Amino acid sequence: MNEYITERSVKRGFDEIRDIYETIRNGRGYIAGSYAAYMAVFEDDHIIQPNDVDIFAVSERAAESISHDILNMGRYLLESVNETVYLLTPGNRGDLPIQIIKPNPKWQSFPDDILEDFDMDICRAVLVAPNKVLADENIGEKTGKFLRINNPLRSLKRALKYHKRGIEFNEWELLKLFQSWDQLPDEKKQQMLDQYKPVERIMCDDSGSHYDNWHDDDDWFEGE
């Protein structure tokens, strides 16, 4: 366990997921991420309301069996399955969606490897007992840090999501996104550009400038 991980007591949110915890407490998986962080943030800190419950399974077989057992509770429906996640949607208004994440093949030690693989400090947390969470020392802060960036576009979208929840990212953290883009192989960059570039006709404004000629070296004034 690295030096930035602290042990915290559960402050809130356990009763709402008690039956889910009982389903996975036999070692098949861990509730981690934003929900676990929410459970452990001090009252005076910045509390982010979670949008879902993430369960990190210890094996693909465990992920499948966890999904099966939660569906058998009768409160959830299976919305989708892909190579990494089972997405379960609630039938009751008070329940949150559940994501059951298949493990990274590199993970060997649980829950340590789960904590080490989080991309942001503010959501790096895992529930290890009904009254105990292991979490990054920075959960509850109003500023976020990127711990690792694999896909800069995905990280940017996550930063925007957390910004809407009151989290700020300083200039250095945002520059990490540019650095990450620069370090991508040219083939990967082009693949992403081809994948996301909108297919539309070229339009001009009243001055005759093309809307897709968006790069400009003139930085006289850039609005905030």
Side-chain angles (χ1 to χ4, degrees):
M1 194 74 64
N2 75 50
E3 60 184 308
Y4 301 107
I5 301 301
T6 61
E7 184 177 305
R8 299 204 184 191
S9 60
V10 169
K11 307 294 183 183
R12 65 189 67 78
F14 182 75
D15 287 341
E16 291 84 344
I17 51 91
R18 182 185 297 273
D19 54 351
I20 305 299
Y21 178 80
E22 293 296 329
T23 300
I24 65 171
R25 68 178 300 176
N26 56 5
R28 291 184 297 169
Y30 295 87
I31 293 172
S34 59
Y35 195 91
Y38 158 79
M39 297 176 77
V41 170
F42 299 132
E43 295 293 341
D44 293 337
D45 286 341
H46 185 64
I47 300 174
I48 300 175
Q49 296 292 329
N51 290 329
D52 55 24
V53 178
D54 292 332
I55 300 173
F56 289 76
V58 301
S59 68
E60 289 200 20
R61 183 174 181 179
E64 181 181 7
S65 66
I66 291 169
S67 173
H68 179 269
D69 289 349
I70 293 177
L71 290 172
N72 277 346
M73 294 178 180
R75 300 198 338 256
Y76 291 88
L77 298 173
L78 179 62
E79 179 172 317
S80 63
V81 184
N82 59 35
E83 64 274 10
T84 56
V85 175
Y86 289 81
L87 177 58
L88 311 185
T89 55
N92 299 328
R93 180 172 295 181
D95 291 329
L96 293 174
I98 294 175
Q99 291 192 111
I100 303 168
I101 298 101
K102 301 174 186 178
N104 185 323
K106 296 183 294 185
W107 294 348
Q108 300 294 325
S109 177
F110 295 92
D112 295 19
D113 288 347
I114 297 173
L115 287 167
E116 290 297 323
D117 225 25
F118 270 95
D119 63 337
M120 290 184 187
D121 58 348
I122 53 173
C123 59
R124 179 161 64 161
V126 58
L127 179 68
V128 293
N131 62 346
K132 184 168 71 174
V133 169
L134 297 178
D136 193 286
E137 63 183 4
N138 288 336
I139 65 166
E141 295 292 327
K142 292 194 72 173
T143 56
K145 292 184 176 67
F146 288 109
L147 303 174
R148 55 183 46 80
I149 299 172
N150 175 264
N151 181 323
L153 179 59
R154 178 179 180 274
S155 294
L156 173 60
K157 292 169 74 173
R158 281 176 55 73
L160 293 172
K161 180 182 78 170
Y162 277 99
H163 182 68
K164 290 180 179 179
R165 295 158 145 185
I167 300 297
E168 298 291 335
F169 295 87
N170 65 30
E171 284 80 358
W172 174 245
E173 296 303 317
L174 296 176
L175 283 170
K176 288 179 182 178
L177 298 171
F178 293 98
Q179 287 184 314
S180 177
W181 173 260
D182 285 342
Q183 292 168 11
L184 286 178
D186 289 342
E187 181 180 350
K188 179 65 173 177
K189 289 181 183 178
Q190 193 58 53
Q191 179 184 349
M192 293 176 68
L193 290 170
D194 292 342
Q195 179 178 356
Y196 296 110
K197 183 177 180 181
V199 179
E200 58 186 16
R201 63 191 178 92
I202 298 176
M203 299 180 67
C204 298
D205 61 20
D206 292 339
S207 68
S209 298
H210 292 296
Y211 287 166
D212 61 347
N213 293 337
W214 40 263
H215 180 75
D216 195 338
D217 291 327
D218 185 348
D219 64 352
W220 174 253
F221 173 76
E222 294 179 346
E224 293 295 334

